[in-house]
Amino acid sequence: MSIKTSHTRLFLYLILGLIVLFCTNVFLGSIHISIEEFFRGLYDASSTNHLIIHAVRIPKALSSILIGIGLGLAGFLMQILFRNPLSGPYVLGVTTGGSLGAALFILGSALFSFGFIHPKFGIPLFSSLGSLAVLAMILVVYKRIKDPMTLLITGILFSSISGAVISLLAYFSSAERLREFVFWSYGSTHLMNTYELFLLALSCVLCFVFALKNAKPLEAFLAGDVMAKTLGVDVDKIRFQIIIFTGLTVGVLTAFAGPIAFVGLVVPHISRQILKTSNVRLQLISVSLIGSLFVLACDVVATLPGSALSLPINAVTSIIGAPILLFIVIKTKRFIF
Amino acid sequence: MKSYGLVIAIIMLLSGCNTPNDKQTSIEKNQWSPKYAKGFSFEKKDGITYLNIKNPWPGSIYTQQFALISKEKDLKKASTAIKIPLKRWATSSTSHVGFAQELDEINSLKAISRTSYVSSKDVQNRIENNEIRELGQSNQPDVEWMISNQIEAFFNFSIGDNSAEFTVLEKAGVPVIYIGEWSEQHPLARAEWIKVFGLLFDKQKQADSIFLKIEEDYLQWSERAKTQDTSPKIISGSLYNGIWYAPQKDSYMQKFYEDAHLDYIWKDLEYTGSLQLDMEFVFGTAKNASIWLNSSEFQSIEPLMKLHPLIPKLSAVQKNKVYNTLKTNSSKGVLFYEKGVVRPDLVLKDLIQIGHPQLFKDHKLQFFAKLDR
C-alpha cells in the first residue's frame, strides 16, 4: 500500500487534532479546574480532582472515541454492503433491535417481571439480545435470499416491527418508565466502566481488523458483484461477514451508548470528501480518526462546560454533523462516493 | 398458569384485608418496620443503626443498606456508612425538598436537579443566591460538582438509570440513597418516608412526631368525610391526543379519593400503568360525574373544552367543577408534588373540601385550584 504524502500529512493532522480534542474533552467539564490543579489531579491520588479526571472525564472521553470509531466503521461497511451512500448502521435494523431489547426491559418490566434484574445489567443485556435477535433473523433471511435489496427491505421491515412494538410498550407504560426510555434513546457518551469500555474497544478492533484484512475484496465488492467475482472475491461470504461484524459492533454500541444518530452516516462521507480515494485501508484509518474526532467534539459541546446541564448527544451529532458535511460538499463542489 | 394466578389473587386479596390501621409498628430483635411504607426499615446491630431500602421502584428486588454513624471514629466499622446528621446533601426530586422543609433542613440542601421544578419560595430564593445549585437532569446529575463540593449523600428518585454515574459517586464516598416514596401506594406510606429523612438528619423524634400528627389528622378527617351520606361521583385525569389518562386501581390517588369519601367512577378498572381510556368510554361512563380532578396543565375551562367535542357535555364541566393541582408557592414548580407528598393530610383536606364543602367551612384549598371560566 503506497501512502501519498498528502494522506500522511492528513493523518498526522487528524492524530494531532485527536490529541488536542481528547485533552480539551478531559480538561473541560461541569466544574472549572485550573491548569495547575488539573496536572496535580492527573498524578496526585489524594486530590479530589484526581477522581473527577480519572473516574469521570477520561472514561467519558475514551467512550466517545470508541463510539466514534465503531459507528464510523459500521456506517462505512454498510455503505459498501449496499453500495448506497444513504446507508448507515441503522439500515440493518440492528440498532432498532437493540432499542426494542432496551424497551422490553425498561417499559416492559412491569408486564414481564424483569424487576429482579438491576438496570445496570438489564439494559445492556436486553439491548444486546435485541440486536443479536434481529441480526440472527437477518442472517436467516439472507441465507435464503442472497440479494442486497432484499436485505435492505428486511432491515427496514425489522425496524418497522421493532418500532411498532416499542410504541405499544410505550403506550402501556408508566410515566417514570417512559421517561427512562426516552432518556436512554437520546444516546449517551456517559461514563462507562472498564468492562464496558473493553467490550466496546473489542468490538471496534474486531470490526477494524476484519475490514483491514479484507480491504482488497471490499474494494472489488464496491465495483459490483460481477467485477468482484471476476477478481475472485467470494461475494456471498464477504457480504455475510460484513453483516456479522457490523451487526455485532452496532449491537454492543447500542447496548452501552444507546442509539446514537447520524455519526455512522456522516463520518464515512466526510472521510471520502477529504481523503478523495477509494482505497479501503486508508479510508478505514481516516473513518476511525474522523469518527473519534467528531464524537469527541460533539461531546465537548453536549457537556456544556461550566454548566450542570448537558445536551443529548443525539441532537448534537445531527446539529453539528449536517452543516459540516454540507460545507465540505459545497467546498469540493461534488459528492464523492 | 391459571392456578398460579388464582394463588396470587388469593394472597393479594388476603393481604389487602389488612388495612394499614390494623398493622402495628414492630420492634422485634432491634428491627423496626414502618406502619404503612413498604420500602424501608431500620435495624440496630452492635450499637449501630442501619437503614435498609427495599424495592425502591415497582417490581425491583434491589436493596440497599446504610450504616448511620454519628461518631467519626466509627465510620470504618461499616462499608456503606453515612455520617449523620447530613450537613451537605443533594437530590434529584422536589418531593425530597418537601420532606426536608418539614424537618427544617433546607439549610443543608446544596443542590437539586431541575431547580425550575421547585415550588418553595425559600428554596427558590436560595437558588437565586447561589446557596443551592442546579444539578442538571435527574438522570445525569452533575457528578463532578458533587464530588468536588463534598456532598455527603445524594437522594435519588430514579429507577436505577445512570448506574455508571452513581458508581463514581459511591467510589468518591458519596452514597446514593434510593428514596422510593413515589412507588408506595398509600398516601400515608409516602409521608412515612419522613422517618428516613429524620434519621439521616438526626431528627428522628421530630420526624416521628410530625408523622404521628399527619397520620392522626388524616385518619380523623377521613372518618369525618365518611360520615357523610352522599359520596359525589368524580372523574380524574386528562385528555391527551384523544386518550384519557387516569389513575388506575390501587394507585395512591385512588386511595385519596376513597379516604375523602369520593366515588371515583373508574375505581374498579384494572390496568398496568395509568388507565388509558377512549373518550367515548369516558363520556359514556362519566358524563354525570359532578367533579373532575387533576385536569392537567390548563388554568381555565375554555381551552379544556376545545380538546374534544364531548368535553363540554360533561356534567363536571357544565357545573364548573374542574380542578387542577398546579398551585405553587412561587412562580415555579407544583406544590402538590413537593409538599403534597409529605402532607397527605392537607391533600385529603383539600379533597374533602371539594367533595364535601360543608365539613370544613374555613378551609382554603392548598394544592387544588378550580379552573376559571
Side-chain angles (χ1 to χ4, degrees):
Chain A
M1 177 177 66
S2 62
I3 303 177
K4 283 187 198 169
T5 322
S6 61
H7 290 148
T8 315
R9 201 183 304 130
L10 180 71
F11 289 153
L12 281 175
Y13 285 148
L14 289 174
I15 291 167
L16 194 70
L18 187 65
I19 294 168
V20 171
L21 257 179
F22 181 83
C23 295
T24 312
N25 195 299
V26 174
F27 182 66
L28 296 174
S30 64
I31 59 157
H32 173 70
I33 301 176
S34 68
I35 293 181
E36 194 185 318
E37 284 171 344
F38 181 80
F39 282 109
R40 223 191 90 202
L42 271 178
Y43 304 106
D44 183 359
S46 64
S47 151
T48 317
N49 294 329
H50 183 81
L51 192 70
I52 291 172
I53 293 165
H54 288 269
V56 179
R57 294 188 181 181
I58 292 178
K60 200 160 168 284
L62 286 177
S63 69
S64 297
I65 289 177
L66 291 170
I67 290 165
I69 294 175
L71 287 176
L73 288 174
F76 179 66
L77 288 174
M78 281 291 104
Q79 288 170 7
I80 290 178
L81 177 69
F82 293 109
R83 299 187 191 106
N84 185 335
L86 285 174
S87 298
Y90 281 89
V91 171
L92 276 181
V94 177
T95 313
T96 331
S99 298
L100 176 62
L104 271 173
F105 179 77
I106 300 170
L107 305 174
S109 272
L111 283 174
F112 306 113
S113 306
F114 296 140
F116 64 94
I117 308 172
H118 194 285
K120 183 177 177 175
F121 309 107
I123 296 173
L125 176 72
F126 275 70
S127 179
S128 309
L129 289 176
S131 297
L132 283 175
V134 170
L135 188 61
M137 284 189 273
I138 285 167
L139 288 175
V140 168
V141 173
Y142 180 69
K143 279 277 176 193
R144 286 169 182 265
I145 313 160
K146 292 177 175 163
D147 171 47
M149 231 24 202
T150 313
L151 200 62
L152 192 67
I153 292 166
T154 312
I156 293 169
L157 283 178
F158 281 132
S159 287
S160 302
I161 295 167
S162 304
V165 177
I166 292 170
S167 300
L168 275 177
L169 286 167
Y171 185 77
F172 291 109
S173 187
S174 68
E176 290 83 13
R177 297 273 170 195
L178 207 53
R179 172 190 158 276
E180 197 188 352
F181 181 71
V182 167
F183 278 127
W184 179 84
S185 68
Y186 284 159
S188 170
T189 54
H190 75 98
L191 311 172
M192 292 192 192
N193 60 36
T194 319
Y195 167 71
E196 290 167 345
L197 282 174
F198 170 74
L199 276 184
L200 222 62
L202 185 68
S203 65
C204 291
V205 168
L206 286 176
C207 198
F208 188 86
V209 170
F210 155 75
L212 199 66
K213 266 186 78 179
N214 292 283
K216 286 288 166 200
L218 286 172
E219 276 166 21
F221 186 84
L222 256 179
D225 277 12
V226 179
M227 177 64 87
K229 279 176 185 167
T230 316
L231 293 169
V233 175
D234 186 340
V235 174
D236 287 334
K237 190 182 158 196
I238 200 90
R239 217 172 253 148
F240 184 78
Q241 286 174 335
I242 294 176
I243 298 169
I244 289 275
F245 282 97
T246 314
L248 284 176
T249 308
V250 175
V252 172
L253 284 168
T254 312
F256 296 120
I260 296 182
F262 212 63
V263 180
L265 177 72
V266 77
V267 166
H269 286 303
I270 295 176
S271 172
R272 276 189 214 101
Q273 298 299 121
I274 60 173
L275 208 64
K276 295 182 182 75
T277 172
S278 55
N279 183 315
V280 167
R281 289 184 183 189
L282 292 178
Q283 284 291 353
L284 284 172
I285 301 167
S286 162
V287 160
S288 304
L289 287 170
I290 294 171
S292 317
L293 271 165
F294 181 67
V295 180
L296 266 175
C298 290
D299 188 54
V300 171
V301 177
T303 303
L304 297 176
S307 156
L309 293 168
S310 58
L311 300 173
I313 189 81
N314 241 339
V316 179
T317 50
S318 300
I319 290 170
I320 293 182
I324 289 177
L325 184 59
L326 193 66
F327 172 75
I328 293 170
V329 171
I330 290 170
K331 216 182 162 206
T332 52
K333 290 177 185 157
R334 69 193 183 96
F335 195 86
I336 300 167
F337 182 72
Chain B
M1 284 303 281
K2 273 186 182 173
S3 58
Y4 278 124
L6 192 65
V7 172
I8 293 166
I10 292 169
I11 293 170
M12 283 174 74
L13 196 68
L14 291 176
S15 59
C17 292
N18 282 333
T19 63
N21 293 350
D22 301 330
K23 288 183 191 170
Q24 290 300 314
T25 305
S26 61
I27 308 168
E28 289 174 10
K29 295 175 189 169
N30 291 323
Q31 289 236 342
W32 184 93
S33 298
K35 195 168 173 181
Y36 299 89
K38 291 177 180 147
F40 71 92
S41 64
F42 308 133
E43 61 183 296
K44 223 165 192 175
K45 278 188 281 188
D46 305 324
I48 296 172
T49 305
Y50 289 86
L51 163 65
N52 298 317
I53 306 274
K54 295 173 286 183
N55 323 112
W57 58 89
S60 79
I61 55 161
Y62 184 62
T63 57
Q64 288 185 299
Q65 187 176 63
F66 300 101
L68 307 178
I69 312 265
S70 51
K71 290 175 188 158
E72 199 80 40
K73 64 181 173 62
D74 292 337
L75 276 172
K76 284 179 183 162
K77 282 186 181 174
S79 55
T80 52
I82 298 177
K83 172 90 169 61
I84 56 164
L86 290 175
K87 300 280 186 204
R88 301 176 62 80
W89 60 286
T91 178
S92 63
S93 169
T94 52
S95 65
H96 306 164
V97 173
F99 286 108
Q101 261 185 325
E102 289 297 313
L103 292 166
D104 200 17
E105 276 297 336
I106 293 300
N107 269 334
S108 51
L109 171 63
K110 299 299 168 196
I112 182 168
S113 295
R114 305 309 302 267
T115 47
S116 59
Y117 291 173
V118 181
S119 162
S120 156
K121 238 181 206 166
D122 179 21
V123 176
Q124 282 298 348
N125 286 340
R126 285 168 196 264
I127 292 165
E128 271 175 37
N129 297 334
N130 294 323
E131 290 166 43
I132 295 175
R133 191 194 193 254
E134 168 67 60
L135 208 54
Q137 289 283 4
S138 59
N139 73 318
Q140 264 183 340
D142 190 348
V143 173
E144 291 187 9
W145 186 87
M146 282 196 271
I147 295 172
S148 63
N149 283 276
Q150 291 89 41
I151 290 301
E152 294 165 349
F154 175 62
F155 295 168
N156 182 38
F157 97 101
S158 76
I159 38 187
D161 47 6
N162 274 321
S163 47
E165 266 90 351
F166 298 156
T167 309
V168 173
L169 275 181
E170 279 158 3
K171 215 170 161 181
V174 183
V176 177
I177 308 170
Y178 285 93
I179 303 292
E181 106 285 339
W182 61 275
S183 62
E184 301 280 358
Q185 287 179 331
H186 192 292
L188 285 171
R190 292 187 170 202
E192 200 171 13
W193 278 77
I194 195 172
K195 292 176 181 176
V196 172
F197 287 84
L199 210 62
L200 290 164
F201 296 129
D202 207 9
K203 290 183 171 177
Q204 206 177 351
K205 278 188 181 163
Q206 192 184 339
D208 285 350
S209 69
I210 290 171
F211 180 72
L212 207 65
K213 178 80 174 89
I214 290 169
E215 182 194 22
E216 203 179 291
D217 287 347
Y218 185 97
L219 297 175
Q220 194 191 325
W221 292 338
S222 175
E223 281 307 311
R224 224 168 131 184
K226 284 171 186 170
T227 58
Q228 300 301 296
D229 294 334
T230 54
S231 169
K233 285 193 186 309
I234 63 148
I235 51 171
S236 180
S238 51
L239 190 72
Y240 182 74
N241 268 358
I243 303 292
W244 188 289
Y245 294 85
Q248 58 146 332
K249 192 178 178 183
D250 296 331
S251 66
Y252 84 108
M253 270 323 290
Q254 254 208 58
K255 185 71 188 144
F256 265 131
Y257 301 149
E258 186 188 321
D259 291 341
H261 199 39
L262 303 173
D263 185 12
Y264 177 47
I265 297 264
W266 303 306
K267 58 181 173 288
D268 295 322
L269 289 182
E270 283 198 63
Y271 219 71
T272 305
S274 60
L275 279 181
Q276 290 159 38
L277 309 170
D278 183 77
M279 191 54 210
E280 283 183 28
F281 174 83
V282 170
F283 186 69
T285 51
K287 61 175 177 279
N288 294 324
S290 55
I291 299 166
W292 176 0
L293 298 167
N294 297 335
S295 59
S296 188
E297 78 271 26
F298 297 104
Q299 302 281 7
S300 69
I301 283 191
E302 283 307 315
L304 195 70
M305 290 204 291
K306 287 178 187 157
L307 282 180
H308 196 281
L310 290 175
I311 285 187
K313 314 277 181 214
L314 292 171
S315 173
V317 176
Q318 287 172 347
K319 288 179 183 167
N320 200 19
K321 283 192 169 181
V322 185
Y323 296 83
N324 66 27
T325 47
L326 302 178
K327 277 201 170 177
T328 177
N329 270 351
S330 56
S331 56
K332 296 171 178 173
V334 174
L335 201 56
F336 181 78
Y337 298 119
E338 197 172 300
K339 192 177 177 183
V341 178
V342 68
R343 294 303 303 269
D345 52 334
L346 300 178
V347 175
L348 184 78
K349 202 171 185 182
D350 268 16
L351 288 168
I352 297 173
Q353 173 71 12
I354 291 167
H356 310 280
Q358 67 280 10
L359 284 179
F360 300 107
K361 282 180 183 147
D362 55 346
H363 177 69
K364 268 190 167 178
L365 297 181
Q366 291 206 29
F367 303 99
F368 290 84
K370 193 187 256 191
L371 266 65
D372 303 326
R373 257 286 163 193

